[in-house]
Amino acid sequence: MDRRKFIASAGTAVAATTSVAAPALAQSAPQLKWRLTSSFPKSLDTIYGVTEVFAKNVAEATDGKFQIQCFPAGEIVPGLQAADKVTDGTLEMAQTASYYYWGKDPTFAFGTAVPFGLNSRQQNAWMYEGGGIDLMNEFYAGYNIYALPAGNTGAQMGGWFRKEIKTVADLKGVKMRIGGFGGKVIARLGVVPQQIAGGDIYPALEKGTIDAAEWVGPYDDQKLGFNKVAPFYYYPGWWEGGPMLHFFINKGKWEELPKSYQAIISSASALVNVDMQARYDHLNPPALKKLVADGAKLRPFSAEILEACFNASKETYAEINATNAAFKKVHDAVMAYRADAYLWQQAAEGTFDNFMMSQQRKKRL
């Protein structure tokens, strides 16, 4: 074949293909501008910060055609009303903790964390590989929401207390800011739970409106200054072994998106889901050292308290399972997954981690 004729004919074919493909591409990649409200203040660069990473990745992947403007809690919507504004279509998206809305239905709690539930790796495994995303979206559909994982803090701390807590009796009457379903459980032990948005916790603790508060962990807690108004820092946050955040998306808006945009949002969500925990795992160790150096009194919850909380959790699950079919469906799936996951983790990772912790205690690391 004559090379010049081949190149000329190929060029003609490319031009023809381009002229046909361009309109189709334009139709499948519309110009969109969405608004995303967060349940968290901008000062929390770990949690709120990933919303901006998410929006940047979506914009870059669509050559700027899909723009998502992010707003911190309180700027256009109060932090604890984020899901409501997605449900009613006021906003296209929210970044929030599902368990903030457990008062509507306790099934919301499973999207984030439940007492003595899954750790962060198990939560990811259940969501992405164990059917968790589909199971939760079956539930969220009743609220006009489609949800995707958008971050995890890892196991959280047990919170800041004005006084030392040694026994179950010491918990009676304590007014504690505690998020989600954990408050319902710990109320059985006499605690008075308070649900307060992140940016409002410090003033409530400072004024004595509350006696204790849990948030996330050393890095964020240090930024919010809780150690200045409550000296005792307890662990672990047994109600949040692997708390996951979500992007809540208006279901109708999600279904209107081209498949390519849905894929881009899913990929960007998965990216920040990994990014958030990596940030916390990197930032928490030095923050904890600094808090202790500044006078924070680090304490574990006693075995008595943990045992009482575990029993209270089981009693609470049984009560709700008896009256809420949606809750029972997800509860049974999560707890079955937990049993298998811990069977594996205690064999390999548990043994490894226990040995390494023993070396740390011996100051050999």
Side-chain angles (χ1 to χ4, degrees):
M1 178 183 289
D2 186 291
R3 288 180 61 197
R4 292 180 182 178
K5 287 183 179 179
F6 175 78
I7 292 170
S9 63
T12 303
V14 169
T17 302
T18 303
S19 66
V20 172
L25 180 62
Q27 289 174 9
S28 66
Q31 294 276 357
L32 291 178
K33 290 187 177 180
W34 278 16
R35 293 187 300 167
L36 180 158
T37 188
S38 175
S39 288
F40 309 99
K42 199 167 188 176
S43 58
L44 295 176
D45 56 342
T46 42
I47 295 184
Y48 176 79
V50 300
T51 65
E52 296 179 339
V53 173
F54 167 77
K56 180 174 182 288
N57 275 271
V58 170
E60 290 178 350
T62 59
D63 292 328
K65 291 183 177 179
F66 194 174
Q67 297 286 335
I68 299 175
Q69 187 176 7
C70 302
F71 298 90
E75 191 163 315
I76 57 173
V77 174
L80 298 181
Q81 294 179 21
D84 297 331
K85 297 306 177 182
V86 172
T87 293
D88 68 20
T90 301
L91 297 173
E92 291 84 5
M93 289 188 69
Q95 180 223 25
T96 191
S98 182
Y99 69 5
Y100 285 167
Y101 313 101
W102 75 273
K104 298 176 184 292
D105 187 312
T107 312
F108 271 100
F110 291 105
T112 302
V114 294
F116 300 100
L118 305 177
N119 66 27
S120 61
R121 287 180 58 186
Q122 293 163 359
Q123 183 81 343
N124 269 335
W126 176 65
M127 282 286 181
Y128 286 107
E129 299 293 334
I133 291 177
D134 291 341
L135 191 57
M136 289 307 300
N137 274 319
E138 180 184 314
F139 167 74
Y140 293 138
Y143 295 86
N144 200 28
I145 288 171
Y146 180 81
L148 288 167
N152 202 305
T153 67
Q156 294 191 0
M157 295 292 283
W160 298 87
F161 290 74
R162 291 181 174 277
K163 65 176 185 178
E164 196 165 9
I165 304 295
K166 294 182 178 180
T167 67
V168 172
D170 293 333
L171 290 169
K172 291 189 186 328
V174 171
K175 291 177 291 183
M176 181 180 182
R177 185 277 174 190
I178 178 168
F181 188 58
K184 182 175 180 65
V185 172
I186 204 169
R188 287 178 174 269
L189 307 182
V191 171
V192 183
Q194 312 285 314
Q195 184 142 302
I196 303 172
D200 299 326
I201 299 173
Y202 181 90
L205 197 57
E206 182 182 36
K207 293 173 185 176
T209 306
I210 56 176
D211 306 306
E214 60 81 34
W215 179 238
V216 176
Y219 179 71
D220 283 347
D221 291 0
Q222 182 184 41
K223 286 176 73 72
L224 293 174
F226 298 148
N227 57 309
K228 299 174 184 176
V229 288
F232 295 99
Y233 197 22
Y234 278 87
Y235 63 90
W238 45 265
W239 53 93
E240 294 181 301
M244 176 174 278
L245 302 182
H246 276 79
F247 288 130
F248 279 2
I249 305 168
N250 178 272
K251 190 171 182 291
K253 292 292 184 182
W254 170 259
E255 291 171 350
E256 290 173 2
L257 288 177
K259 294 296 183 184
S260 59
Y261 279 13
Q262 289 182 351
I264 287 167
I265 285 183
S266 297
S267 295
S269 298
L271 169 68
V272 300
N273 187 51
V274 173
D275 183 61
M276 184 184 291
Q277 186 160 356
R279 290 191 192 187
Y280 275 117
D281 286 346
H282 175 67
L283 295 169
N284 277 332
L288 183 60
K289 289 181 181 179
K290 183 67 167 58
L291 285 168
V292 172
D294 288 345
K297 302 178 189 303
L298 195 60
R299 300 283 190 274
F301 284 126
S302 67
E304 175 198 343
I305 289 175
L306 289 176
E307 188 71 23
C309 292
F310 183 78
N311 292 334
S313 298
K314 293 179 70 174
E315 292 167 4
T316 304
Y317 291 141
E319 286 179 0
I320 300 175
N321 281 338
T323 59
N324 187 321
F327 183 92
K328 186 177 188 305
K329 182 176 182 179
V330 183
H331 169 270
D332 290 351
V334 167
M335 296 309 168
Y337 201 88
R338 181 188 67 178
D340 286 343
Y342 277 113
L343 180 66
W344 147 245
Q345 288 198 342
Q346 72 183 8
E349 300 224 7
T351 304
F352 177 80
D353 288 345
N354 287 339
F355 174 78
M356 295 303 290
M357 288 299 297
S358 72
Q359 300 311 298
Q360 176 79 341
R361 287 191 291 271
K362 294 175 183 177
K363 308 297 184 184
R364 295 180 64 189
L365 296 182

